[in-house]
Amino acid sequence: MKLPRDPSEAKPDAPASATVPAGPDHRSYGLRDGLDGLRDLMDRLLVDPGGCPWDRAQTLDSLRPYLIEEAYEVLDALADPQAHRRELGDLLFQIVFHSALREREGAFNLDDVIAAIRDKMIRRHPHVFAPVGAAADQAPRDADDVARQWAQLKRAEHQSEETGRGPARPLAGVPRSLPALQRAWRLQDKAAAVGFDWPTIQGPVDKIREEWEELERARAAGEPRAIEEEFGDLLFVLVRYGQKLGIAAEDALRGTCAKFEARFAYVMERCHAAGIEPEAAGLERLDGWWNEAKARARAGEAGGPDVPKDS
């Protein structure tokens, strides 16, 4: 299984305008409406005997890749409302599945999961759920104020949960399984919330130059471990620089990957049309077709005429 999902393996999506097809009558199977019906369905799958052998064989560990894959599929489906609806359902089913397995352990159930997030959202939004008569001048003024308040409340909650009086751990909540670029963004974002950040964009600009010079020195010295370390340092600072520009590095790189795929596909089309194997085409010819693909894309973005394939 590839994670995240290879786009070429994506499920076929209905057009955004398509109507939702009528499904089976769930009530005829004794399933209630809404979330309760999904719980009924999960119970039916896990019942022994009469349920599904595959579902009964699953564990929290075996479900790990499915949870990650479904989350990525939601992201891939955001442009199409119908596909988005389906993928959100798949992700929700994973949450119900996890909760059902925990319920059978006697740990918690789906109601406890819902109560936990509901209670946390109330605690973290005191400006929304403030007592009647609370001072309006103490409410956050904008989204940045809300983010700072959120970080303070989260830190206070964690301190109250910890035994003893150890050091603050603002980075503790960043999952290690996040994609590296996204994790770099979250780590630096959380560090910035406690004041560990460059005050202006010039800070990361200068640091990028410094890290580039260190990478070049490591390359000149031929030290593989140092080269890898300095390359990682450079990527890490570039993530923060992007954030200062209002750019999410993960999204920017994802867009560049899509652009590369489209242009390279054009190059392969030109190879095929010319009857030439890509390996035999030579870099000069491949690069020329690449530039054609680039010109076609730019002409399309500008609304100008498309460049003919035989140009």
Side-chain angles (χ1 to χ4, degrees), residues 11 35 38 42 63-78 83-99 110 113:
K11 300 174 183 176
L35 191 58
L38 194 55
M42 192 75 251
L63 290 176
R64 282 174 181 263
Y66 300 107
L67 180 63
I68 296 170
E69 181 177 350
E70 296 301 350
Y72 277 113
E73 289 186 357
V74 169
L75 295 179
D76 286 344
L78 287 177
H84 191 198
R85 176 184 67 86
R86 292 194 301 271
E87 298 302 344
L88 282 174
D90 290 348
L91 182 58
L92 176 59
F93 184 75
Q94 287 298 312
I95 295 170
V96 173
F97 206 154
H98 280 240
S99 301
L110 186 60
V113 173

Side-chain angles (χ1 to χ4, degrees), residues 26-27 31-38 40:
H26 57 278
R27 296 185 190 88
L31 306 178
R32 292 172 288 178
D33 293 339
L35 191 58
D36 287 333
L38 194 55
D40 295 340

Side-chain angles (χ1 to χ4, degrees), residues 11 22 29 46 64 70 80 91 102 115 120 136 153 161 170 180 191 239 263 281 287 300:
K11 300 174 183 176
Y29 297 102
L46 295 178
R64 282 174 181 263
E70 296 301 350
D80 182 340
L91 182 58
R102 284 299 192 190
K120 181 167 77 172
L153 292 168
E161 293 169 359
V239 169
R263 291 180 183 176
D287 200 42

